[in-house]
Amino acid sequence: MLFHSRILPLFTVLLLALPSLGHSAPDLAPTHADIVYAKVNDHELKLDLYLPKDSKKPPLVVFIHGGGWKAGSYKNCSTSWLTESGFAVASISYRLSQVAVFPAQIHDCKGAVRWLRAHAGEYGYDATRVGVAGTSAGGHLVLLLGTTGGVPEYEGNVGGNLDQSSAVQAVADYFGPSDFILRSENQPIKTEDPKSTVFLLLGGPVKKNLELARFASPVFQVSAGDAPLLIIHGDKDGTVHLDQSQRMVDVYQKAGLEVALQVVPGGGHGGNAHFTPPLRDMVATFFTKHLRPAAP
């Protein structure tokens, strides 16, 4: 089911029946592995870079992994297949919640984007316009990247390259949370329990840290000029409820921004049902539209 809004107060609905096929696995080996893009104290932040064959200056998409901000690895890149469509893909690490609490994670992601822009000439991709894609916790972080371009409070100085922009021009979010306040109301086990992922991310329960929770929630950062957004989310997701994506669509639509929500019928939290050939084509088309320069 596709909900689409593009500067118009209108949804277009398309039903696409897709089976659940288990967890998605990386497809390709990186062209350049374990590049250190920053070091925070003694903690190295790394990325893997996937380059397409026979493509000069391919546009760049940055992938951010999930894992509840406390697990996962940049080694598991769910969008390396974008190289088949002529994109360069950088899969980045960030400090997990047991290492540092929010906003360390978004500082790291912005530091990675700046580093990638600064080193575009060295590796041969085009970072004039940058896309981002992320799954689950990584989806949350790409939503923040798309809604906080040029906002100093989110920038940080991880890795330097402060002469480079961390703004992104297109966002593909796979089942990421967008509103921790809403989540504390209908999924408090994910936000109030001391062992829960959001509690660990923020360093405390949402209901006792409302200002920080709002600061960390992409829906409260949306403003004019934010990046176009494509969301893919299963309607049977019991980990991050579909209403997190619907909430983001609503806020984007009210701001007159381009947004589309592709609902995966029967889809749970993650899995190959979110990466079928039609959905891969949808994502590649979305990034082509927003990252490749129009023909003269």
Side-chain angles (χ1 to χ4, degrees):
M1 185 175 296
L2 178 66
F3 296 91
H4 181 71
S5 170
R6 186 186 176 191
I7 316 301
L8 297 173
L10 178 65
F11 286 119
T12 302
V13 182
L14 172 66
L15 182 64
L16 180 60
L18 298 168
S20 178
L21 303 174
H23 289 287
S24 177
D27 295 313
L28 305 170
T31 310
H32 303 281
D34 303 316
I35 302 169
V36 177
Y37 74 83
K39 189 173 182 179
V40 182
N41 299 322
D42 293 326
H43 189 88
E44 289 186 334
L45 298 169
K46 299 180 181 180
L47 62 84
D48 282 352
L49 184 61
Y50 302 78
L51 297 176
K53 296 179 180 179
D54 305 321
S55 181
K56 293 183 179 180
K57 297 193 71 176
L60 176 67
V61 175
V62 178
F63 175 75
I64 305 178
H65 70 82
W69 308 278
K70 65 177 183 178
S73 171
Y74 68 102
K75 289 298 183 182
N76 297 316
C77 180
S78 297
T79 58
S80 57
W81 45 267
L82 279 167
T83 57
E84 299 169 6
S85 296
F87 294 94
V89 178
S91 181
I92 68 171
S93 69
Y94 54 90
R95 281 172 289 171
L96 302 178
S97 59
Q98 60 266 39
V99 177
V101 297
F102 192 85
Q105 294 72 26
I106 192 63
H107 287 173
D108 295 349
C109 294
K110 285 179 175 281
V113 173
R114 294 195 306 268
W115 186 95
L116 286 160
R117 279 203 163 102
H119 291 81
E122 178 181 350
Y123 290 99
Y125 52 81
D126 183 0
T128 306
R129 300 179 63 80
V130 173
V132 288
T135 53
S136 194
H140 162 258
L141 293 170
V142 299
L143 289 173
L144 273 181
L145 282 172
T147 55
T148 62
V151 182
E153 292 81 3
Y154 292 87
E155 194 68 34
N157 58 8
V158 171
N161 299 300
L162 297 178
D163 59 323
Q164 301 291 328
S165 172
S166 66
V168 300
Q169 284 68 50
V171 177
D173 158 39
Y174 291 87
F175 43 88
S178 69
D179 185 345
F180 292 142
I181 307 298
L182 173 62
R183 210 172 183 203
S184 73
E185 296 168 354
N186 62 20
Q187 255 188 319
I189 191 64
K190 298 292 186 182
T191 66
E192 310 308 300
D193 188 311
K195 295 181 180 179
S196 67
T197 53
V198 179
F199 186 109
L200 295 172
L201 175 68
L202 301 182
V206 165
K207 291 181 179 178
K208 292 184 179 180
N209 295 275
L210 293 176
E211 184 175 353
L212 177 59
R214 288 178 64 90
F215 182 69
S217 296
V219 293
F220 298 111
Q221 320 315 324
V222 174
S223 61
D226 286 347
L229 173 60
L230 171 63
I231 305 175
I232 298 174
H233 203 144
D235 63 3
K236 301 300 182 184
D237 191 335
T239 302
V240 177
H241 291 171
L242 180 59
D243 64 359
Q244 291 286 312
S245 291
Q246 292 168 331
R247 173 94 165 96
M248 197 71 188
V249 168
D250 182 59
V251 174
Y252 248 63
Q253 185 188 31
K254 288 178 179 176
L257 298 168
E258 180 178 340
V259 60
L261 169 59
Q262 174 67 61
V263 177
V264 180
H269 191 65
N272 286 340
H274 299 79
F275 298 95
T276 59
L279 290 179
R280 289 187 180 197
D281 288 346
M282 179 183 293
V283 172
T285 299
F286 172 74
F287 282 131
T288 295
K289 174 183 176 182
H290 295 291
L291 302 184
R292 293 188 187 279

